[in-house]
Amino acid sequence: MATATFIHDGSAIDYTPTSDVAAGDVVVQNDLVGIAKQPITAGALGALAVVGVFDVPKATGAGTAIGAGAKVYWDAANSQATGTATGNTYMGKAVAAAGNDDATVRVRLSQ
């Protein structure tokens, strides 16, 4: 007797938000980080990408650089990526270096 049933490949997950979600919004559900590829209306079933490579916002200024291959975390309070783990949610790894003056970092999502 089978103990598991295949549902789909898992590159996106179902998500029904309580408030509208714009395309490109980063959504954190406990330790799961997903990105809306399309807008999702509050109360409507949509999908969040949980794999893929995305450019996400990051802070600029001294000490904000993130090196290629470094772990990247989502700072929900400031709606930006960071290299700081404390208080933030792991979202993936940088696939390209982002310097102090870069406003985005390219991240490969991984859960």
Side-chain angles (χ1 to χ4, degrees):
M1 178 174 185
T3 58
T5 303
F6 179 79
I7 304 300
H8 56 74
D9 68 8
S11 61
I13 59 166
D14 290 340
Y15 179 66
T16 304
T18 56
S19 59
D20 290 350
V21 173
D25 278 357
V26 176
V27 177
V28 177
Q29 298 179 82
N30 293 313
D31 288 334
L32 181 66
V33 176
I35 298 177
K37 292 169 58 175
Q38 302 290 328
I40 309 170
T41 305
L45 179 63
L48 299 176
V50 291
V51 298
V53 177
F54 294 84
D55 285 340
V56 295
K58 68 170 258 320
T60 58
T64 63
I66 299 174
K71 290 182 179 179
V72 179
Y73 302 86
W74 186 249
D75 175 352
N78 294 302
S79 296
Q80 62 190 13
T82 179
T84 302
T86 304
N88 302 308
T89 306
Y90 176 73
M91 70 183 311
K93 292 187 178 176
V95 296
N100 287 332
D101 295 331
D102 293 324
T104 62
V105 59
R106 187 159 290 170
V107 178
R108 178 184 177 275
L109 296 180
S110 57
Q111 304 302 316

